[in-house]
Amino acid sequence: MNILVTGGAGFIGSNFIYYELKNHPADNIICLDKLTYAGNLQTLDRAMKKDHFKFIRADIADRRAVYRIFETEKPDIVVNFAAESHVDRSIENPEIFLQTNVIGTSVLLDACRKYSIDRYHQVSTDEVYGDLPLDRPDLFFTEETPLHTSSPYSASKASADLLVMAYHRTYKLPTTISRCSNNYGPYHFPEKLIPLMIINALADKKLPVYGTGENVRDWLYVEDHCAAIDLIIRKGRPGEVYNIGGHNERRNIDVVKTILAALGKPESLIEHVADRKGHDRRYAIDPTKIHDALGWLPETKFEDGIQRTIQWYLDNRAWWEAIISGDYQNYYEKMYGNRPRLMEYSTL
Ligand code: NAD
Ligand code: TDX
């Protein structure tokens, strides 16, 4: 089978590629990624050495490039991770979120129709449901919870979900959607809460906690998310939406304190800063459907996953130091400019 993974040079997409290469070695993986600031080819170093892996640099919103890739690579399954993913950036500059997350998704859907793929999977987020109150721990997001977005990021992701559902209903495109809670683990870009706090703490820099730090996120180890997507693309029913989460709710301030304790750093490094505009209070997923329908259960407890993640950042300093220095953005040209298996299609 040929699996086209978009956004595979980012955090979750790269973890998914490694999951597939390990668990389904007979499949071919084609990674399509624009290599924005969040895409890092060093992350895919180990994959580049495999014969059944190929990297193509392109923009999912570039229709001509995407059609050419579908024509030459003949994907059976498309898994769309490509997105602008950072809420704070969407608050500063919404436009690129619409371009990539909405227009990009529509181009991929059109390509899937044109080339009759077997499955299109949209990697969505629990943020499309908006937020839950802090004083109602009995409430959870189910697949029936109405879409009710807060940020330009979540609005763009919800718009993409609506398009995917429309293509299923109107054109009978075999689509699935997954809506996952916050991920953490290796290769997480250091603008997001957990890697940012680990890296700042290691440098004895202040840890900027938005507002009181009482906002709650439902954390899932990235490999558990990858296992869920793998199940959905192989066994999930077309037209369905699946929530993914492991009942791992934590207040931001407690996550930050856990990181400080694990690194032996003082809590005096914590600095409460101005709150995020429109800051969602609590996310919490009800994963009953994916458990009952596909037998998925998360394997990694937060206590273990966070220690493993901290250790990964300690063991992989070169990876994140190159990001902080900006060097990783030259890596593509330097390392892969002339390699035959690396292709570039585009108007980039
Ligand atoms: P990320 O920002 O780490 O990676 C995004 C990747 O997409 C990068 O490699 C980037 O270069 C690529 N990309 C961006 N625009 C592109 C374009 N126009 N064409 C081709 N490639 C492009 O993001 P992530 O955290 O890995 O998230 C992946 C997906 O999972 C996103 O769709 C996100 O909405 C969703 N999601 C993320 C989380 C989370 O906690 N990180 C949780 C639920 C859902
Ligand atoms: O410096 C910070 N200080 C802070 O208090 C940062 C970067 C974040 N925060 C808070 C904001 C959130 O309440 O921590 C929480 C987590 O923030 P992010 O890591 O930015 O994640 P979040 O906004 O929850 O969104 C993430 O989960 C859902 C991903 O980035 C999305 O792509 C995904 O859809």
Side-chain angles (χ1 to χ4, degrees):
M1 217 155 46
N2 296 333
I3 306 179
L4 180 69
V5 178
T6 69
F11 165 44
I12 309 174
S14 61
N15 277 282
F16 180 75
I17 286 170
Y18 286 122
Y19 184 92
E20 292 298 299
L21 289 173
K22 183 171 158 208
N23 292 289
H24 302 284
D27 290 340
N28 295 310
I29 307 287
I30 307 109
C31 171
L32 182 172
D33 198 295
K34 182 179 175 182
L35 297 181
T36 67
Y37 79 92
N40 182 354
L41 216 44
Q42 291 184 35
T43 301
L44 292 174
D45 252 354
R46 283 178 294 127
M48 289 289 191
K49 299 190 177 94
K50 307 262 186 194
D51 283 337
H52 47 286
F53 174 80
K54 181 190 277 181
F55 179 83
I56 300 174
R57 186 178 193 185
D59 183 339
I60 57 165
D62 182 340
R63 189 173 291 273
R64 214 160 38 97
V66 167
Y67 285 7
R68 242 173 85 200
I69 292 165
F70 273 65
E71 233 162 75
T72 52
E73 303 304 327
K74 303 187 177 14
D76 301 294
I77 295 180
V78 176
V79 187
N80 181 26
F81 291 92
E84 288 293 332
S85 69
H86 193 34
V87 173
D88 291 325
R89 286 179 188 259
S90 83
I91 294 168
E92 293 303 312
N93 178 19
E95 194 177 345
I96 185 67
F97 285 73
L98 304 183
Q99 179 64 18
T100 289
N101 300 1
V102 185
I103 304 296
T105 298
S106 80
V107 168
L108 290 172
L109 289 167
D110 284 338
C112 288
R113 275 185 70 205
K114 188 169 157 69
Y115 296 97
S116 305
I117 50 86
D118 294 337
R119 175 65 63 87
Y120 174 85
H121 181 74
Q122 177 73 1
V123 181
S124 185
T125 168
D126 59 359
E127 296 199 19
V128 299
Y129 299 122
D131 64 352
L132 296 164
L134 292 174
D135 60 358
R136 289 292 306 276
D138 55 314
L139 296 181
F140 296 91
F141 296 137
T142 73
E143 289 78 1
E144 275 71 49
T145 302
L147 303 188
H148 189 83
T149 56
S150 310
S151 69
Y153 163 71
S154 54
S156 70
K157 293 294 290 184
S159 307
D161 284 12
L162 293 174
L163 266 179
V164 174
M165 292 190 279
Y167 273 61
H168 174 72
R169 167 88 186 232
T170 306
Y171 306 115
K172 310 268 181 294
L173 196 71
T175 62
T176 39
I177 296 175
S178 55
R179 296 182 180 142
C180 189
S181 60
N182 286 59
N183 284 215
Y184 68 102
Y187 302 117
H188 204 177
F189 196 82
E191 65 187 350
K192 306 282 168 55
L193 179 76
I194 288 182
L196 182 82
M197 297 299 164
I198 296 172
I199 289 169
N200 279 14
L202 284 172
D204 294 311
K205 279 170 64 177
K206 289 286 184 190
L207 272 47
V209 171
Y210 297 164
T212 60
E214 280 164 356
N215 301 60
V216 170
R217 296 294 182 265
D218 186 358
W219 295 98
L220 185 72
Y221 193 64
V222 62
E223 203 176 333
D224 283 324
H225 186 188
C226 296
I229 293 174
D230 181 65
L231 266 179
I232 295 169
I233 61 174
R234 290 164 199 277
K235 300 200 175 119
R237 262 193 32 208
E240 295 291 321
V241 173
Y242 297 93
N243 283 354
I244 308 172
H247 287 301
N248 258 310
E249 289 178 55
R250 295 282 185 286
R251 298 189 314 168
N252 292 340
I253 191 73
D254 296 330
V255 171
V256 172
K257 286 181 179 171
T258 303
I259 292 169
L260 286 171
L263 292 171
K265 300 286 184 178
E267 290 186 5
S268 56
L269 286 178
I270 294 173
E271 183 172 60
H272 290 273
V273 298
D275 211 351
R276 175 183 277 174
K277 288 183 188 133
H279 199 171
D280 280 339
R281 293 160 296 175
R282 170 176 169 250
Y283 303 142
I285 283 277
D286 175 353
T288 307
K289 177 173 173 181
I290 188 166
H291 174 60
D292 290 353
L294 304 177
W296 176 86
L297 273 177
E299 283 186 0
T300 302
K301 285 207 212 92
F302 186 76
E303 289 68 24
D304 301 332
I306 192 73
Q307 297 302 334
R308 215 187 293 166
T309 302
I310 292 169
Q311 193 57 49
W312 188 89
Y313 280 86
L314 286 170
D315 295 342
N316 292 274
R317 272 181 174 271
W319 181 85
W320 54 264
E321 280 174 351
I323 291 176
I324 288 172
S325 72
D327 270 359
Y328 76 110
Q329 283 173 318
N330 306 322
Y331 184 83
Y332 174 78
E333 290 309 327
K334 201 172 85 200
M335 299 297 286
Y336 297 100
N338 297 318
R339 290 201 186 183
R341 277 197 296 120
L342 190 83
M343 284 187 273
E344 184 155 355
Y345 286 87
S346 81
T347 49
L348 281 169

